[in-house]
Amino acid sequence: MFSKKTMEELNRLSVNEVQDTEKQPIIIILDDIRSMHNVGSAFRTCDAFMISSLYLCGYTPQPPHRDIHKTALGATETVDWQYYGTTMEAIGAAKDAGFKIVAVEQAHNSTMLHEYNRQRNEPIALVFGNEVTGVSDEVMQIADACIEIPQWGSKHSLNISVSLGVVLWELVRNKK
């Protein structure tokens, strides 16, 4: 028999406790995301996996906004985030901080997600692209690696919020 856990049993951290907790050495870079709901979901997923930072780039919406907060459920207060005018500026900042740039895209010579070998504390910046056009060609040319989520259906695409969850789960599940 199963019963749902109570809020107390979930042992949720306070905003201050989250801010003081060691984070995964992963930056998420959102490359011209148009949906505020996808941005809010990215905040929530970054919180769930204790990601070090979320970079919002180009025309990606930024907090504060009602639709972002509606989906983020408070994660805009627990996730460190920064805005950059362009994705290339965000990548430059990540590289300067010692992060390897990894595009998440369906591409020639990409590595399937389950075959990507990330070392335990290797700092990586994952670039997720626009809902329609994907990761920009400019970013693809300078990425250190490219990982792809295997798919077998007819659509061969996932919503960015789903992709973010799938990729982060695979990359951190054996590293925590």
Side-chain angles (χ1 to χ4, degrees):
M1 176 78 58
F2 300 98
S3 63
K4 295 190 293 184
K5 293 180 180 178
T6 65
M7 293 302 264
E8 294 79 29
E9 290 171 321
L10 290 174
N11 295 319
R12 293 183 186 206
L13 301 176
S14 70
V15 171
N16 290 336
E17 289 171 323
V18 169
Q19 291 169 345
D20 292 338
T21 301
E22 183 179 353
K23 308 292 188 300
Q24 289 284 337
I26 297 174
I27 295 171
I28 299 300
I29 299 175
L30 300 184
D31 180 12
D32 284 332
I33 302 304
R34 63 183 182 183
S35 165
M36 288 190 225
H37 296 290
N38 282 339
V39 173
S41 182
F43 269 99
R44 200 161 151 193
T45 302
C46 287
D47 173 90
F49 288 103
M50 293 295 257
I51 300 308
S52 65
S53 196
L54 174 62
Y55 290 0
L56 308 175
C57 308
Y59 58 76
T60 302
Q62 309 158 54
H65 193 281
R66 181 178 56 93
D67 289 338
I68 293 173
H69 291 298
K70 180 178 171 181
T71 311
L73 293 177
T76 56
E77 304 302 316
T78 58
V79 174
D80 174 60
W81 68 275
Q82 295 166 47
Y83 173 77
Y84 292 90
T86 69
T87 302
M88 296 306 287
E89 289 174 48
I91 287 172
K95 281 189 171 215
D96 289 347
F99 285 75
K100 179 178 176 179
I101 307 304
V102 180
V104 179
E105 186 59 85
Q106 296 168 327
H108 295 286
N109 301 314
S110 63
T111 302
M112 290 297 140
L113 176 59
H114 61 282
E115 295 172 350
Y116 184 73
N117 186 20
R118 174 180 167 247
Q119 301 306 311
R120 180 176 288 274
N121 289 312
E122 177 184 33
I124 60 173
L126 297 166
V127 183
F128 290 84
N130 174 274
E131 294 93 335
V132 175
T133 59
V135 176
S136 71
D137 290 335
E138 185 179 27
V139 171
M140 294 296 289
Q141 295 304 308
I142 59 122
D144 299 305
C146 180
I147 56 177
E148 182 174 338
I149 301 169
Q151 297 173 54
W152 299 275
S154 66
K155 299 301 175 201
H156 288 280
S157 70
L158 295 169
N159 182 283
I160 185 172
S161 62
V162 173
S163 295
L164 187 60
V166 168
V167 169
L168 288 177
W169 169 250
E170 180 65 21
L171 294 179
V172 304
R173 69 186 177 98
N174 293 321
K175 308 294 188 228
K176 203 64 176 125

